[in-house]
Amino acid sequence: MKLVKAVIRPEKLYDVMKALEKDGFKGITVMDVVGRGQEGGIQVGDKSYDELAKTLIMIAVEDKHVEKVIEIITKHANTGMFGDGKIFVCHLEEVWTIRTKKKEIEVI
């Protein structure tokens, strides 16, 4: 099981979420975040912006679905410009459901 985290442009959230949902990936966590990449922010005229508004989405998927989720995110979040974002894939050891107090997965 993997946790796919993607930092994307806020204006691309709707497109990414609709595409993920269409392919059956409905359990998604969304957070508004700020950050900057290697460029260190942007310069617009005399104004410098060190931190930019971004959206972080997280989705837990089975290993066999990771490539599909990455494909969907990259297709629908891409503008071709600096600042389109990053995708991080992390290994999940455990997942617990709070309501039932049950462990859903355990990787050994």
Side-chain angles (χ1 to χ4, degrees), residues 61-84:
V61 297
E62 294 177 31
D63 291 3
K64 66 184 179 184
H65 297 303
V66 170
E67 292 301 321
K68 182 63 176 172
V69 167
I70 292 170
E71 177 186 319
I72 291 168
I73 295 169
T74 55
K75 177 180 179 183
H76 294 278
N78 186 347
T79 68
M81 298 169 44
F82 286 111
D84 276 350

Side-chain angles (χ1 to χ4, degrees), residues 42-65:
I42 62 170
Q43 184 80 28
V44 179
D46 293 339
K47 189 92 170 152
S48 177
Y49 298 93
D50 292 334
E51 295 176 341
L52 304 172
K54 297 291 180 184
T55 299
L56 172 66
I57 62 173
M58 297 189 302
I59 179 168
V61 297
E62 294 177 31
D63 291 3
K64 66 184 179 184
H65 297 303

